[in-house]
Amino acid sequence: MQLLFTGFGIGAIYALVALGFVLLIRAAAVVNFGQGEFAMLGAYLMVIGFNVLALPYWLSIILSVLLMAAFGVVFAATTYWPLRHRGGLPVIISTIGASIFLENLVLVLYGPEAAQIDGLFDAPGIQVGPVFMDSQYLSIIVVAALLVALQYAVFEKTLLGKKLQATSQDKEMASLLGIPVATMILITFAYSSALGGIAGILVAPILFVSTGMAGLIALKAFAANIIGGYGSIPGAILGGLSLGIVETLGAAYISVPYKDAFAFLMLLIFLLVRPQGLFGERIAEKA
Amino acid sequence: MKLLEITGLVARYGAGDVLKGLDLTVDEGEIVALLGSNGAGKSTTLRAISGLVANLSGGIVFAGRSIVGLKPEAIVRLGISHVPEGRRVFPGLTVRENIALGASNRRGVSRRQLAGEVEEMLGFFADLRRLEHALGWTLSGGQQQMVAVARGLMAKPRLLLLDEPSLGLAPLIVQQVFRIIADIRARGTTVLLVEQNAHMALGVADRGYVLETGRLLVSGRPDELWSNPQVRAAYLGGAAVAG
Ligand SMILES: Nc1ncnc2c1ncn2[C@@H]1O[C@H](COP(=O)(O)OP(=O)(O)O)[C@@H](O)[C@H]1O
Ligand SMILES: [Mg+2]
């Protein structure tokens, strides 16, 4: 039970990053290899705001998330926009380039030493029956659940959400209806980047904040996406959660040093046995 | 009064010219049919009007204003609504949502007003009523066509561009679609109608143009086109009745 709780918490992080990853695939057909860097940057902004500038914790969070949303727009304008008519591969390469650039930028500006941040709450956690709920893991799960609910509400209940969906399903048709397609794509980038940033901020108190976290998180998000079903939103969430749980159980019962290998293993198993993932894509790209 | 005036329109994809100097006008209140065989450049003409063809020269003037070089979003805001080839209903959205998004070109439409207008459309296209919560991809071709036209009308356009609305539909549904086109004009909307089904199109149109590989072959009133032997042989023969 304890392990399930921990796995669920770490899985929620993967789910958030995977969600941002999937949204970009759907809205802009962008396979973003910089998704892990979004989390890394979010965590570093938190380090700078809270540790370095000594801003209040909540203010640091709000500023970091807002800055990450703005960063998403900059990221889109530089890595995606100039190449948007060139098809998938040039943009993929451009996001790989951006991710390398961002990691090195952080190394230059902040330095290679890993940083640590405090958790959301001072209290270590609460005991519920046999399970000790660590306050940070609990925060992760609650925030992730709220974000998923919020996203669902926006996508399913608002006109903006419908326009975002329409843009992801058929950009040319959306433009013929007068939907500002470029704005919709920028909104998606901003949201995706903010989601990654929030994941980074949430996971920072558990991991050390370092440039290495980016690649690791990106790999997990990618694996979550394949496990859940490529391009599927519920798949990203379930894929992330199941990955977190498998990884935690694996570390506990099989081997701690090989913890990260379980993601690879699960990815390989799914690619071999069920390449369409848990949720095979039901909606074709075009009607 | 001229609503749309196209002069010397040249459109290119890659190397070759697809439209080679097309002249075409649509007057306010008319239904104009644009006919021609597959690959003649009919869809390209509509796409050029809507701002979807990057590489073009010549003039396109709508309601007295040049629209060449404007983005599709801007052109639909001026009042040209395009129901494209293949219907392009959003597969993952419901009928109701698809229709509602048709009003995206108009600013300041309240939620309530939008819901009222969608209701009106569901009244007009009565067959869609029971499907209002069905997702786009589950619809038949004829149902998709209704949704696409309803969505196009939600823009409250002055000019409606319809690209092969009868394609792939059963004869009974085709007749229904053409009745709707006549109704749309009766409500005051001007229509530029692209069709391979010349018999049906000239049945509702005031004037027609016949395109052949990017050039105008002939234009005129339906009876003039019917009596032109060249046109009859090429486009208005038995084959055109299909669909
Ligand atoms: N996106 C495109 N790229 C290259 N060629 C195209 C494209 N779209 C249409 N064409 C070519 O332009 C010509 C006219 O096409 P189109 O306007 O679709 O004809 P129609 O609608 O009359 O059947 C055809 O030869 C077609 O192959
Ligand atoms: Mg065509």
Side-chain angles (χ1 to χ4, degrees):
Chain A
M1 277 304 283
Q2 184 68 50
L3 292 170
L4 280 182
F5 173 74
T6 308
F8 208 74
I10 205 76
I13 294 290
Y14 300 155
L16 286 184
V17 181
L19 204 53
F21 187 73
V22 166
L23 287 172
L24 287 184
I25 290 174
R26 296 174 68 101
V30 169
V31 181
N32 178 22
F33 278 76
Q35 204 71 31
E37 278 70 18
F38 290 170
M40 172 196 79
L41 286 179
Y44 270 101
L45 284 175
M46 195 62 197
V47 169
I48 291 169
F50 185 64
N51 294 6
V52 179
L53 301 176
L55 297 175
Y57 199 82
W58 287 103
L59 184 63
S60 306
I61 290 186
I62 291 169
L63 285 179
S64 303
V65 173
L66 288 179
L67 281 172
M68 283 314 293
F71 175 76
V73 174
V74 174
F75 186 84
T78 50
T79 58
Y80 164 70
W81 202 251
L83 297 169
R84 67 191 185 284
H85 298 307
R86 302 275 192 85
L89 197 56
V91 177
I92 290 181
I93 292 168
S94 152
T95 67
I96 294 175
S99 74
I100 296 170
F101 170 77
L102 290 171
E103 284 186 33
N104 285 289
L105 187 71
V106 167
L107 284 178
V108 169
L109 293 181
Y110 188 86
E113 67 276 14
Q116 218 177 353
I117 345 181
D118 296 346
L120 217 47
F121 296 104
D122 290 334
I126 45 170
Q127 188 77 36
V128 178
V131 183
F132 177 73
M133 298 201 166
D134 176 278
S135 62
Q136 188 62 26
Y137 281 89
L138 200 56
S139 314
I140 291 172
I141 293 169
V142 170
V143 171
L146 286 178
L147 281 172
V148 169
L150 181 74
Q151 179 184 320
Y152 179 81
V154 169
F155 269 67
E156 293 304 325
K157 304 291 174 211
T158 70
L159 200 56
L160 173 66
K162 298 301 165 191
K163 288 180 183 177
L164 288 166
Q165 288 190 54
T167 302
S168 82
Q169 288 168 28
D170 188 341
K171 276 184 246 325
E172 187 177 277
M173 190 62 231
S175 74
L176 282 179
L177 298 181
I179 295 170
V181 168
T183 309
M184 294 300 127
I185 290 175
L186 287 182
I187 289 175
T188 310
F189 268 95
Y191 178 60
S192 171
S193 168
L195 265 186
I198 292 172
I201 292 167
L202 287 171
V203 81
I206 299 175
L207 298 174
F208 283 105
V209 177
S210 71
T211 51
M213 72 189 279
L216 207 56
I217 290 180
L219 169 69
K220 304 294 171 61
F222 184 74
N225 180 29
I226 299 292
I227 292 165
Y230 189 78
S232 159
I233 287 174
I237 296 168
L238 275 190
L241 291 176
S242 50
L243 192 60
I245 289 169
V246 166
E247 185 181 284
T248 308
L249 292 178
Y253 293 118
I254 305 174
S255 156
V256 175
Y258 288 105
K259 176 166 128 335
D260 296 322
F262 293 116
F264 270 122
L265 198 63
M266 215 169 144
L267 180 63
L268 285 177
I269 291 172
F270 265 86
L271 283 176
L272 288 173
V273 179
R274 196 176 158 81
Q276 76 275 34
L278 297 171
F279 291 82
E281 187 65 308
R282 277 168 305 176
I283 299 168
E285 271 298 313
K286 293 248 162 67
Chain B
M1 186 209 134
K2 282 196 182 88
L3 185 59
L4 181 76
E5 182 167 28
I6 294 176
T7 45
L9 185 65
V10 176
R12 271 167 228 102
Y13 289 119
D17 288 357
V18 173
L19 297 178
K20 301 160 186 164
L22 176 68
D23 298 315
L24 179 153
T25 59
V26 180
D27 289 339
E28 187 112 51
E30 275 189 312
I31 297 181
V32 171
L34 184 55
L35 310 172
S37 56
N38 208 356
K42 305 180 298 296
S43 297
T44 303
T45 305
L46 297 193
R47 292 173 61 82
I49 297 169
S50 287
L52 292 175
V53 179
N55 196 346
L56 58 85
S57 56
I60 308 177
V61 174
F62 175 69
R65 167 176 181 182
S66 169
I67 57 169
V68 174
L70 294 185
K71 283 202 276 190
E73 291 99 312
I75 290 171
V76 65
R77 268 182 225 124
L78 292 175
I80 300 181
S81 179
H82 186 162
V83 179
E85 202 166 18
R87 293 124 198 179
R88 309 278 284 269
V89 169
F90 298 114
L93 297 180
T94 66
V95 166
R96 189 170 254 286
E97 291 162 351
N98 264 284
I99 294 175
L101 285 179
S104 302
N105 65 325
R106 291 152 50 209
R107 289 186 195 286
V109 182
S110 72
R111 241 189 127 91
R112 205 216 208 111
Q113 190 183 345
L114 186 61
E117 288 181 16
V118 173
E119 274 310 304
E120 216 176 294
M121 277 302 156
L122 292 173
F124 189 49
F125 296 89
D127 294 353
L128 295 180
R129 171 70 70 184
R130 70 191 163 82
L131 297 166
E132 60 178 319
H133 299 299
L135 291 177
W137 67 271
T138 65
L139 304 177
S140 72
Q143 292 162 348
Q144 286 188 23
Q145 190 63 58
M146 303 285 169
V147 172
V149 174
R151 184 177 62 182
L153 287 173
M154 286 292 287
K156 293 212 184 298
R158 289 180 73 184
L159 174 64
L160 183 67
L161 310 177
L162 290 176
D163 199 340
E164 304 222 32
S166 74
L167 191 69
L169 302 186
L172 223 60
I173 311 284
V174 171
Q175 294 194 351
Q176 199 181 348
V177 167
F178 276 91
R179 260 201 306 280
I180 288 167
I181 294 170
D183 279 354
I184 289 167
R185 191 257 300 273
R187 288 157 39 126
T189 305
T190 308
V191 180
L192 177 56
L193 169 66
V194 160
E195 264 298 337
Q196 280 197 64
N197 190 334
H199 284 273
M200 290 300 291
L202 290 178
V204 294
D206 302 296
R207 289 188 301 121
Y209 289 78
V210 181
L211 269 187
E212 194 177 56
T213 55
R215 267 184 242 280
L216 200 61
L217 186 68
V218 57
S219 67
R221 290 193 316 273
D223 54 314
E224 294 168 340
L225 294 181
W226 283 128
S227 59
N228 180 320
Q230 203 185 353
V231 173
R232 266 198 102 84
Y235 301 104
L236 309 179
V241 190

